[in-house]
Amino acid sequence: MKSLFDLEFKRFITPSIIKIVYILVMILLAIGYIGLVVTSFQSDALLGFLMFLIVGPLFVLIYLVMVRAGLESLIAQIRTAENTAELVRLAGGTPPADGGPRPFPGNPPAPQQPQDPTVNGGNTPPANPYQK
């Protein structure tokens, strides 16, 4: 409950409530299926059997798959964000939620002046500062 009122968004609450959302969607689909079957049987018995055996289960299955895929996609994005923040922390940086941008340790300083391409006769490329 404390995470719900975290105005800095340091912790994600979606993974903890996603099961509840999925259960609610399954309950709503079941209620809709029952309502569709009952309404169809009131209209015509053949239509009722058609909705009960073919159309209703297909409708519920398709919507359940779409909802599940959407929720899994959301969870995957959140886990990617959490893992990226952990990698930044392990590398010695500061995750975006903890402060402003800071330079990554171990990077060479940026060149101060543009280098002249004719320094080495123009034939050899400048040394790569990222290789040791």
Side-chain angles (χ1 to χ4, degrees):
M1 194 64 147
K2 186 170 104 174
S3 298
L4 190 60
F5 298 104
D6 177 22
L7 298 179
E8 294 179 8
F9 293 93
K10 288 185 178 183
R11 182 167 144 78
F12 294 105
I13 64 165
T14 306
S16 61
I17 64 169
I18 203 83
K19 293 175 188 176
I20 297 169
V21 171
Y22 190 62
I23 290 170
L24 287 176
V25 167
M26 286 192 301
I27 290 170
L28 288 175
L29 283 173
I31 291 171
Y33 171 69
I34 292 169
L36 180 71
V37 169
V38 168
T39 304
S40 299
F41 268 115
Q42 288 176 350
S43 175
D44 184 24
L46 182 62
L47 182 63
F49 278 113
L50 183 69
M51 290 296 172
F52 179 70
L53 296 176
I54 298 171
V55 177
L58 189 62
F59 170 80
V60 169
L61 182 66
I62 289 172
Y63 272 93
L64 196 59
V65 166
M66 289 188 333
V67 167
R68 177 71 184 218
L71 293 175
E72 285 179 1
S73 174
L74 181 64
I75 289 295
Q77 289 175 350
I78 290 171
R79 287 189 180 148
T80 300
E82 290 174 340
N83 291 339
T84 302
E86 181 66 14
L87 286 174
V88 168
R89 187 191 65 76
L90 288 174
T94 304
D98 291 342
R102 295 185 184 168
F104 187 76
N107 280 350
Q112 299 300 322
Q113 297 176 353
Q115 294 187 3
D116 186 11
T118 60
V119 169
N120 294 328
N123 295 332
T124 59
N128 187 346
Y130 297 105
Q131 288 181 340
K132 292 184 179 183

